[in-house]
Amino acid sequence: MSKRDPFLDVVRVLAIVLVVFQHWLVPVLGWNGTELTTGNAYATPGWWALTWVGQVMPLVFFAGGAANLLSLRSHRGRGGSDRDWLSARVHRLAVPMLPLIGVWLLLPHLLTMLDVPSQPLDVGSAVVGQLLWFMAVYLAAILVTPWLIKAQERYGMRVFAALVGAAVLVDVLRFSGVPMAGFLNAGFVWLAVHQLGFHYANNPPSMRAAGAMAATGFGLTALLVAFGPYPLSMIGMPGAPVSNAGPPTTCLITLGVGQIGLILLARPLIRSLVARPAAARALTWVGARSMSLYLWHMSAMVAVAGVWTIGLGYSTPAPGSVLWFAVLPLWIGSCAAVLYGLLRAFGRFEAQAPGPLVLQPPALQVMLGTAVIAAGTLGIAATGFAPGSGVMPVGASVWSAVVLSGLLAVRYRLPSVSLVRNA
C-alpha cells in the first residue's frame, strides 16, 4: 500500500464531521435570565440507538493507527529516523492547539469584563477544554506507535487480543468497587482500536471479513449492554451512574469492530466517490484542517449558544418535537457558519504548520517532550478554561505552560543536553 490511502482520509474526515454534528445535536439549553441549564438530547427515549452510529471515536483511532503505520513505514523507507517522524507528527497535532489555547486563556476574562454572566461562561469554558482529552490520548498513541508496530510485526493480532483482555480486566475492577481503575482504559481501549488500524494497513480485509466484523462487533456490543453492567448509550448521559465513554469501556472496542466492518463494506464506493475531482478538492481542504475542525467546533457552538440564550432568551424545544426539528437546520447552520469563519482565521496554523527544524533534538528529548505535551493537554481537559481570579484561568494557564514547554522540547535542542553531549 502507498503512503496515503484515500479511503483512510475519508474515514478520518467523515468521523470528525460526525463528531462535530453529534456535539452540536446534543445540547438541550434553558435560560431563566440568570442561569443556563443544560441537558442531552440523546436522553430522549430510544435515541440511545443513534449513539451506536454517532460515537465514532473508534473510527478516528482506527484511521489514525493505519495512517501512522503507513506514514512511519514510508518515512523509514526514505532513510528517516523514528525521532524525526515523531517530531513531525507531534508538530502537526500540537501547533493547531496553540491558537485555541491562546484565545481561551484570555476570552473568559474579556467576556467577564463585558458583564457576561459567570455561570454560562463557566459552562462554555469547561466544554471547550474537555475536547482536548482526545489530543492527549492521540499524542500518547503516536508516542508508542513504533513499539506497537514492532509488536504487531512479531505477534500479529495477539497484541490486539492482549489489549482487549486488559480492557476487560479493567472493567472487571471498575465494576467491582475500584472505579478509578476505569481510567486505565483511556489507554487500553483506544490503543486496541488503533492496533486494528495496523492490521488494516498490513492486510485489508475482504468483503466477507468486513461483513463478519460488522456482525460480530455490533452483536457483541448488544450482548454486553443486554447482560453486562454497560448502559445502552455509547456516550455519557447526565445523571447516569455509568458511562461507556468517560472513561471508555470494552463496549467501545466491540462497537469499533462493528463500525470498522461497516465502513470497510463501503470502501469500494468511498474510493470511487473520492476519485471525482470536486470530492477530492473538498477532501483535501477539510483534511488539511481536520484537527482544527475538531478543536474549534465547540467554540463555534458556545458562541452561537451564548447569542441565542443570553442574547435572545432562547431555550431548546423538546428534542424530537416538530419545533425542535424546525429549529435544528438554523441551529446547525449557525454553528457551521461560525465554525467556517474560525477555520478561515485559525485553520492556517494546521494547513501551514511549520515543520520540525533540520537540527533535531535527541530522540529521548523528543519523546519526553511529547509526553509532556500530552500531560499538559490532559490537564487542560480536566480543568477547562473557566475564569480564575486573575487575568487568566490559573489552572489552564499552568497546563498551557506545560504544553508549550513540551513543544519547545520537541522542537529545540535543550542547552543542557548539548552541554552533556559535548562533555
Side-chain angles (χ1 to χ4, degrees), residues 30-348:
W31 177 249
N32 60 13
T34 58
E35 184 175 343
L36 179 71
T37 59
T38 60
N40 192 321
Y42 286 108
T44 305
W47 282 30
W48 59 265
L50 297 176
T51 68
W52 288 40
V53 178
Q55 170 56 286
V56 290
M57 274 301 172
L59 289 180
V60 176
F61 279 94
F62 161 75
N68 286 336
L69 184 146
L70 294 172
S71 173
L72 181 55
R73 180 181 293 166
S74 175
H75 184 77
R76 287 171 172 173
R78 297 193 303 270
S81 67
D82 289 5
R83 176 203 62 186
D84 294 348
W85 174 85
L86 175 62
S87 180
R89 225 53 174 170
V90 170
H91 273 80
R92 181 66 191 272
L93 277 178
V95 170
M97 287 195 294
L98 298 181
L100 179 81
I101 291 172
V103 167
W104 276 96
L105 282 178
L106 295 175
L107 185 61
H109 178 71
L110 295 176
L111 293 177
T112 299
M113 293 175 61
L114 295 174
D115 294 326
V116 173
S118 61
Q119 187 268 345
L121 184 55
D122 288 347
V123 173
S125 301
V127 298
V128 170
Q130 286 169 4
L131 282 179
L132 296 183
W133 75 264
F134 164 72
M135 308 299 285
V137 176
Y138 195 67
L139 279 166
I142 291 174
L143 179 60
V144 298
T145 286
W147 291 284
L148 289 178
I149 290 176
K150 187 176 296 184
Q152 177 78 13
E153 292 170 348
R154 182 170 182 178
Y155 300 108
M157 287 298 288
R158 283 176 288 179
V159 181
F160 171 73
L163 290 168
V164 173
V168 171
L169 179 59
V170 167
D171 278 356
V172 170
L173 292 173
R174 174 181 177 179
F175 295 116
S176 299
V178 192
M180 294 302 293
F183 288 97
L184 293 172
N185 269 347
F188 294 132
V189 166
W190 298 126
L191 286 179
V193 185
H194 190 261
Q195 202 75 16
L196 285 178
F198 295 169
H199 183 66
Y200 165 82
N202 284 325
N203 185 25
S206 64
M207 289 295 102
R208 172 179 285 187
M213 287 179 65
T216 301
F218 286 116
L220 287 174
T221 306
L223 290 174
L224 287 173
V225 301
F227 300 104
Y230 305 101
L232 287 168
S233 173
M234 294 298 129
I235 64 173
M237 289 295 176
V242 177
S243 168
N244 279 317
T249 67
T250 307
C251 276
L252 291 188
I253 299 179
T254 58
L255 180 73
V257 171
Q259 290 178 342
I260 292 166
L262 204 60
I263 201 75
L264 286 174
L265 288 174
R267 184 170 176 248
L269 175 62
I270 289 173
R271 299 195 75 168
S272 65
L273 290 176
V274 80
R276 300 178 180 180
R281 286 194 298 271
L283 180 63
T284 299
W285 192 90
V286 177
R289 297 161 179 82
S290 58
M291 286 299 99
S292 299
L293 182 70
Y294 175 81
L295 289 168
W296 287 98
H297 79 275
M298 288 302 286
S299 298
M301 191 192 76
V302 166
V304 172
V307 172
W308 282 34
T309 56
I310 300 174
L312 304 177
Y314 168 81
S315 292
T316 307
S321 65
V322 173
L323 184 57
W324 184 84
F325 278 109
V327 173
L328 184 61
L330 182 59
W331 169 260
I332 297 295
S334 299
C335 292
V338 174
L339 177 58
Y340 179 73
L342 291 172
L343 288 179
R344 295 280 295 183
F346 300 110
R348 70 192 68 182

